[in-house]
Amino acid sequence: MNEVVNVITIQRVFWHAVNVLLMAGTLIVQPAMAEPYLAVRTGQKCMACHTNPSGGGKRTQFGKIYGQTVLPATGSTNLLLEQINNYLDIGGDIRASASVAKEPMEEDQAAFTNDRATLYLEAQLIPDRLSLYLDQRVAPGVSNREAWMMVSAQNKKTFLQAGTFYLPYGLRIEDDGAFIREISGVSFNNSDNGILLGHDAGPWSFRTSFTNGTNGGAETNTAKQLSARLAYIQQRWRLGVSANANDGADAQARQMSNVFGGLKLFGLEWLAEFDMVSDTSPETGKRRQSIGFLEANKELVKGHNLRASVEWLDPDLDVGANLQNRFSLIYEFTPLPMVQLRVGTRLRDGIPQNSAQNADSVFGQLHIWF
Amino acid sequence: MHAKPLQRIVRGAWCTPILLSVFIGACGGSGQGLDTNGRPLSEQSKTNTGTNQPSNTSGENVFSSIQRDVLDVSCATSGCHSGTSAPLGLNLDAGKAYANLVSQSSIQVSGLLLVEPSNPDASYLVAKLEGTQDGGLQMPLGKPAINAQALAQIRQWILDGALESDDEPVVSVDPVDVPIPTIEPVLPTLDDIQSKIFDPLCISCHAGTTPSANLNLELGESYLQLVERPSTIDVQAKPLVSIDNPENSFLVDKLRGRSLGSFGDANYRGSRMPVVGGYLSESQLQAVEQWISAGATEMSSQ
């Protein structure tokens, strides 16, 4: 009996110590992490937790409840659902970071930054049929990220968006520094103007958009960008494909395609994506790139998530000895509803003559959302 | 009692070496035969063949070194300010960066130029690189900031006039024997204004059967509707274009955002134009004013 009590005591002391250390740790620097792992963990589509049927941004009531009861180490019974009335709903995210970056042959950099403060507004002009959505960054600087109107059929199984939005393509992870986000240019830093059509039928989810292809810049020609994403979602796995074609000015063009998926295996949530990118321009001819992403998440105990990822990039398939890699190890601690601390490290490995490709960082982040 | 938390930690931790071991054989490239941007050195040899090397020994011009050492390395990378996916359309590839930066209006912060020649403190490019910008995020995004030496070089380049190429060497000749030609300035014509300003920036709103403010700026309509014609919204009753007098032209007021008042005031004269796509650069504004000062003619100059 005394041995059992001692084991329980040791466990409690251990986890209390971990919690205290993590809550006291303020050296956190890291742009936000991939949330699709939560979709894999719950077996849900992105639209279950997010107002935007394509994922990201403001959370639905279910998403808010999940974030306040399931995600944190200590859930809440007094839910804060921030709904103004039946027609207006708000949300927000604030991410503040501290980082230490080490780049070969360059001076180390250590900085506190306000990564992003974002406010969301959803107006149900006609509930479940006609809505207006705004995703506005208010710091640093003020800029609009998404602004669209959506007409939808019952239960949003079919919908049409018009305005400014993120493109449907691949895994919509939060880490815009990942190769699959940075190289493709499809990230939370780039939104485009156009229309988006979506349809969900059972486990199938289809999105396609027709946009200017200027990532928010002025349109100076008639060329447009077409993007499409098809996914099949099951409780323990999901698989999808995406394609994107963008004709730009001066005979420039880009085509991209990928295969992506998620899997629950060995108690882990796995995410993976493989991309092929082809750029054509009169100056450089045709260049092809390949990108890979693999991530594993493990909920150690409630409120504690460990994440590891590996990425690779071949920036030109016709050139050898130019491969780049990126490794990440991140620990996420959600002590309370709507509060998350992250600590981690990223290691980059590229050609030795480019110091930026070999920059490493230790990071952390305080993330508050509602 | 089972040590479940510890077991979970162990199970979670072993995924890390598995992930790493999958890719341990595919570490970063050796870089053999490549330049700092990962391009084959042989590409540079082909590019340099036949080019005119400067007669002086100081090497490439300043902007070329900025393009090579800063823009190509940190900005014009795949998925960023390169090619068709360039955010906000700001393509900083070699051969395009200069035209897209110098005297071009910022889309994120109205009233600022990305590079204002001779004025680095007012250049939005500098603010973005230094992290003092009012809009958007510091550049380069997701990467270490540009080092102080490179920033100083960019500032100096802008202060020196933001030239695309250094001045060519002056050839000394006997000034007595060489007549100095009189070069007439080439003034912008309505065709220039139409093709470079009205068509790309204005007719998205000011066109068709019901144009905004009842002002149609399409080809064939713009001259008739602008020159010595009153505006329907100007409380000061200025003509849209007053021949020879840009100061008295409402069009210039709207393009420069001059004396438009505040929304809700009795003297409000509407928003600065254009409302989308970014305001006109200083060179574009001067082109409009020069056209008006030269008589605001409809015909092209010979």
Side-chain angles (χ1 to χ4, degrees), chain B residues 108 123-133 135-139:
Chain B
Q108 287 185 334
S123 297
Y124 192 54
L125 173 67
V126 173
K128 289 286 277 186
L129 295 176
E130 292 181 340
T132 58
Q133 75 285 351
L137 301 171
Q138 184 178 2
M139 293 292 134

Side-chain angles (χ1 to χ4, degrees), chain B residues 64-79:
Chain B
S64 295
S65 66
I66 292 173
Q67 178 75 56
R68 184 198 65 219
D69 297 333
V70 180
L71 301 182
D72 288 348
V73 174
S74 301
C75 310
T77 56
S78 181

